[in-house]
Amino acid sequence: AKALAKRVLFACGAAGLLHRRRNRAVLTTVMFHRVLPDDDPRAAGANPTYTVTPEELDACLGLFRRFHAVIGLAELEAAVARGRDLPARPLLITFDDGWADTVEHALPVLRAHGVPAVVFVATGHIGRAEGFWQEEVFDAVLAGAGGAPAEAQATVAALDRLAPEARAERLAALPRRALPRRMADAAGLAALERAGIAIGGHGHSHEPLIRVADPAAKFRACRETLARLGLGGDRPAFSFPHGQTSPAQIAA
């Protein structure tokens, strides 16, 4: 009943009218991760919670353009710095992590719609064949063992509770598939930037900074890697890994 009511409100224009009024001065930020077509061999083992197909991304971008003013990171930063208003109903598109499929599959869709975005990169993983250990678990459970997403998530949670040494031992025993490279390399990230996609930092090891012994060192490693590769400009934006942070870390 609730879904039907939403469809009716949308079809008659009431939902759009409410959106135009309520969200006129609200910045909406949309976060994507992986973009993989069904026939990509990496898709079978990708975490479905964080994965969309190019067709789904295309539909999302069409919806965003219809109901929002899609802005880029530079436009947002300039508005903040100069105290200027953004366009009505602004929306910022972001991609986390720095996956190779962001270059391979997301960029063509972004280009087709002519919209900007920002990609936050975990710099210690640039160019790596493997994904984050959590994604390697999902691939082993979903594609390797034919398990379900809930089983993969339970395995990730159990491994996350282990000490790093014990976790590494368990991860080393996972069955591995021969797959295309999972993480974007420096050339791919530079291609994104040339296409008008901003590059920011997402930590170095992708660990939550509130859980590491020296978060400042991880932050510096991320920023220094971007600078060495000529990415992100003089003051790159930063997205905290896993969204976990503290007021003290934000101030620092």
Side-chain angles (χ1 to χ4, degrees), residues 85-107:
D85 290 337
L86 290 167
R89 296 172 295 282
L91 182 142
L92 180 71
I93 300 169
T94 77
F95 291 82
D96 271 356
D97 302 334
W99 296 97
D101 51 77
T102 304
V103 183
E104 299 163 5
H105 300 302
L107 180 56

Side-chain angles (χ1 to χ4, degrees), residues 45-149:
N47 185 340
T49 301
Y50 297 101
T51 307
V52 298
T53 65
E55 292 77 17
E56 289 169 333
L57 178 62
D58 178 70
C60 287
L61 298 188
L63 188 73
F64 301 158
R65 292 176 62 200
R66 180 178 175 187
F67 291 101
H68 293 270
V70 180
I71 64 169
L73 180 64
E75 188 175 358
L76 174 60
E77 291 178 334
V80 172
R82 299 167 189 166
R84 295 179 180 174
D85 290 337
L86 290 167
R89 296 172 295 282
L91 182 142
L92 180 71
I93 300 169
T94 77
F95 291 82
D96 271 356
D97 302 334
W99 296 97
D101 51 77
T102 304
V103 183
E104 299 163 5
H105 300 302
L107 180 56
V109 183
L110 292 166
R111 277 176 163 161
H113 282 269
V115 295
V118 53
V119 176
F120 294 106
V121 180
T123 52
H125 295 263
I126 293 174
R128 288 184 55 174
E130 304 82 12
F132 305 135
W133 69 262
Q134 296 92 335
E135 284 287 324
E136 295 301 297
V137 170
F138 264 85
D139 191 78
V141 173
L142 299 184

